[in-house]
Amino acid sequence: MSSSEVVLSIRGLSKKYKVPGREVLVLDNISFDVGEEFIAILGPSGCGKSTLLRIIAGVEKPDSGVIEFRIGHEPRIGFVFQSPTLLPWMTVLGNTMLPLLARGVDAGEARERARRALTLVGLGEFEDFYPNELSGGMKQRVNIARALAIEPDILLLDEPFSNLDPLTAETLRSEVVDLWLTGVVPLKAVIMVTHNVEEAVLMSDRIIILSPRPAKIVKEVRIGLKRPRSRKMPEVQALVDEVYSYVS
């Protein structure tokens, strides 16, 4: 994917949280552009990575700063949460349809679009299953399908593999990268929050490294390696070591 065209511009973003007796600065003057690329936002736990993602999604508001989408229309944003947050009384298909119905999409069209998304993540035969009948990896696939069903311009991933076993996580990482590279979903950009350095190097085109709270941008690292990538590649290990030098 080309990163030449700016999809999203973030300028001077700051965010404070009020706690009893004081204010805590979480994000401190964050500025960067997002092109047509896969970006990983990397930083220690509690530094404000997820807060930044929620602000981009419009779920939270910053105290200062500007977010500008440059895609020519109201952006469609898909959000994959760390935990699947599926409604237990609804089927896999019903859960996947939810964001479409919330947007006012006709039920018949929502059903077809949800089915297409489930097929993309390998769950086409499980639409009538309920969440308690699924493994952790399958639940997270539903979570991803739900985000893809709205045909998003920008996909936001909030540590989506952190609660999975290593083998399942590795499989899902590869599948998400394949979805991005093949263009089967009309994504303009993917932004993933993680604290896993190797994951960031294996998946992204560029890594934005944040400091401990209050988060500032410490470094940006471009990943110029062809895909697919393996953790055994010397070039991958060299980049992992480089990124660790900025976060340690």
Side-chain angles (χ1 to χ4, degrees):
M1 289 287 177
S2 167
S3 59
S4 57
E5 183 179 343
V6 174
V7 173
L8 167 64
S9 183
I10 296 170
R11 291 288 177 269
L13 210 67
S14 293
K15 176 69 176 180
K16 295 177 181 176
Y17 284 124
K18 292 184 178 179
V19 296
R22 61 193 177 102
E23 288 184 331
V24 175
L25 182 61
V26 180
L27 300 174
D28 187 8
N29 194 29
I30 301 291
S31 298
F32 62 94
D33 289 333
V34 179
E36 296 182 350
E37 58 187 325
F38 193 126
I39 284 184
I41 298 175
L42 183 70
S45 295
C47 75
K49 303 184 300 295
S50 295
T51 297
L52 175 57
L53 214 62
R54 289 195 295 269
I55 291 173
I56 294 172
V59 177
E60 291 193 33
K61 292 184 177 180
D63 291 305
S64 61
V66 175
I67 296 181
E68 180 185 0
F69 294 94
R70 301 182 187 176
I71 54 178
H73 58 260
E74 187 71 22
R76 295 185 301 274
I77 298 177
F79 201 121
V80 177
F81 298 93
Q82 185 173 352
S83 299
T85 60
L86 303 178
L87 298 180
W89 60 88
M90 298 187 75
T91 63
V92 163
L93 182 62
N95 271 285
T96 309
M97 289 172 61
L98 271 179
L100 294 166
L101 297 175
R103 287 169 172 259
V105 176
D106 172 78
E109 182 183 349
R111 188 175 296 107
E112 291 309 307
R113 286 170 63 176
R115 281 176 171 152
R116 285 200 298 271
L118 288 169
T119 298
L120 285 176
V121 300
L123 290 181
E125 298 178 0
F126 292 87
E127 66 175 51
D128 293 329
F129 281 57
Y130 287 87
N132 67 355
E133 300 175 295
L134 305 178
S135 67
M138 293 171 76
K139 289 177 184 177
Q140 195 64 327
R141 287 176 191 270
V142 179
N143 197 11
I144 294 168
R146 186 170 54 185
L148 295 177
I150 65 168
E151 298 177 352
D153 301 298
I154 299 172
L155 182 64
L156 305 179
L157 308 172
D158 189 4
E159 301 193 39
F161 316 110
S162 61
N163 290 332
L164 302 175
D165 67 85
L167 186 59
T168 301
E170 186 170 355
T171 301
L172 270 180
R173 286 188 197 107
S174 297
E175 291 179 5
V176 168
V177 170
D178 285 345
L179 285 171
W180 161 246
L181 292 176
T182 57
V184 292
V185 182
L187 291 169
K188 293 186 179 295
V190 180
I191 306 174
M192 179 181 71
V193 155
T194 182
H195 59 261
N196 185 322
V197 173
E198 190 175 82
E199 177 175 276
V201 171
L202 288 171
M203 296 186 70
S204 68
D205 299 305
R206 181 161 56 112
I207 301 174
I208 295 174
I209 302 167
L210 301 182
S211 69
R213 191 177 62 236
K216 295 176 177 286
I217 294 179
V218 174
K219 186 74 176 179
E220 294 188 18
V221 178
R222 291 197 175 273
I223 310 298
L225 303 179
K226 292 183 179 180
R227 297 181 174 96
R229 301 169 190 161
S230 164
R231 60 173 50 88
K232 295 180 180 179
M233 294 168 59
E235 305 94 325
V236 167
Q237 284 305 310
L239 276 166
V240 168
D241 290 344
E242 179 186 346
V243 173
Y244 265 118
S245 73
Y246 299 122
V247 298
S248 59

